Amino acid sequence: SQTLANLRTVLGIVFLTDEDAMDREGMAVEEELCNPHQARVNMRYDPGITPRQARQHFIRAKTLICNEQVLQESVQYEGFFNTVPDMDGIIRRTPLFMARSVDYSIFSDAELANLDPADFIFSEDYYYSLSLANLLQALELFNGKKPEVWLKNNLDGVEYLRLDQAIIKLDRKSNILIHFRGPGKTFPYISASDILNKTLDPDKLKNKIIFVGTSSPGLKDLRSTVFDTAMPGVEVHATVVDNILM
């Protein structure tokens, strides 16, 4: 855990949809008692939109797979590595935020509409994607302060994400359209054995955003994209960071 803290690591989490959260017998998987790091995001709404209406557009889940608590407490950021393919199984976009299901039924629409908007300026039940969490951590280290994160919502859903002064267009569900540079291995890959055997030049990692993932087919983290039928999932997240920085 101390190593994770020293390296300013971002840990991955997995959210399960209602369909995913069923075991082979069709019984609901018991939710883990854990609370990963939540997104600190300023929510801006067009006039007449309530927080309940806005959150209906986000991909939502209530069950999640967490890290061990001792590891979770050693980092400042966590992010989900869920990706959502299109109907044909191809990854073309991916959500930058997901919402954890919260029971708003205790409030009527009128009660929500009359609540002070300041109560919702920081939303505590949204979560960053792994790519966005890594980028925010890197920007914080580079600039010496946490970047401002704003989500603009209109009647149709999410409109855009603002990171400090940069505007990133998103679709109504907070998905970013991914502009892949090419097939898998477009970004540099470094074998774990090179690091463990200390044969890697440390300068190759200096001032870099590094994703640790797998490329073996047996580990089943391969994704179909417009360029590659078996791109390692970790490269999808790296591509999203690349797109935002472009």
Side-chain angles (χ1 to χ4, degrees):
S1 63
Q2 188 59 49
T3 300
L4 294 179
N6 292 340
L7 294 177
R8 303 299 293 270
T9 306
V10 176
L11 294 178
I13 56 177
V14 180
F15 278 94
L16 303 179
T17 64
D18 291 339
E19 182 178 346
D20 294 330
M22 304 293 288
D23 63 20
R24 293 180 180 178
E25 285 71 42
M27 301 296 290
V29 176
E30 184 177 353
E31 184 174 1
E32 296 188 38
L33 297 177
C34 58
N35 189 27
H37 294 278
Q38 299 163 337
R40 299 291 291 174
V41 52
N42 298 283
M43 305 293 285
R44 284 289 179 87
Y45 308 105
D46 278 353
I49 300 176
T50 67
R52 175 197 272 177
Q53 291 172 322
R55 68 177 286 111
Q56 289 177 352
H57 299 289
F58 288 85
I59 299 173
R60 289 177 290 171
K62 67 177 181 179
T63 307
L64 57 107
I65 300 175
C66 292
N67 296 288
E68 293 291 337
Q69 185 173 352
V70 64
L71 301 180
Q72 180 179 307
E73 292 174 349
S74 67
V75 301
Q76 296 184 36
Y77 288 91
E78 290 177 281
F80 62 85
F81 51 85
N82 301 69
T83 55
V84 183
D86 288 343
M87 294 291 290
D88 59 1
I90 303 296
I91 296 290
R92 296 183 177 89
R93 69 201 79 230
T94 193
L96 295 187
F97 295 87
M98 286 183 69
R100 193 175 187 181
S101 296
V102 174
D103 184 8
Y104 275 112
S105 63
I106 59 174
F107 298 108
S108 67
D109 285 332
E111 288 173 325
L112 284 171
N114 290 327
L115 288 175
D116 187 339
D119 293 337
F120 299 96
I121 192 166
F122 287 110
S123 176
E124 295 188 345
D125 48 9
Y126 292 91
Y127 297 84
Y128 300 126
S129 69
L130 182 63
S131 50
L132 181 57
N134 271 277
L135 178 59
L136 294 176
Q137 172 109 289
L139 292 174
E140 180 181 339
L141 290 172
F142 182 78
N143 297 323
K145 64 181 183 68
K146 292 182 181 295
E148 291 189 9
V149 184
W150 295 84
L151 267 182
K152 174 65 167 55
N153 298 267
N154 58 33
L155 189 60
D156 295 323
V158 175
E159 186 175 345
Y160 62 78
L161 165 68
R162 181 163 71 83
L163 296 181
D164 288 332
Q165 301 305 314
I167 301 294
I168 298 95
K169 293 293 292 184
L170 305 177
D171 72 10
R172 60 196 296 266
K173 294 185 176 182
S174 89
N175 288 303
I176 184 172
L177 188 64
I178 306 174
H179 298 277
F180 290 99
R181 288 180 176 263
K185 303 292 180 75
T186 297
F187 291 92
Y189 278 64
I190 296 172
S191 173
S193 63
D194 292 339
I195 296 176
L196 295 174
N197 294 329
K198 299 182 179 180
T199 59
L200 177 71
D201 180 359
D203 286 340
K204 288 189 175 182
L205 303 181
K206 189 176 182 179
N207 297 326
K208 300 293 192 300
I209 299 175
I210 302 165
F211 286 87
V212 179
T214 62
S215 57
S216 171
L219 296 175
K220 299 181 179 180
D221 187 24
L222 299 176
R223 302 289 180 261
S224 294
T225 73
V226 293
F227 288 105
D228 196 332
T229 58
M231 176 180 283
V234 65
E235 191 161 353
V236 175
H237 302 294
T239 303
V240 172
V241 172
D242 174 71
N243 286 182
I244 296 175
L245 290 174
M246 288 176 61

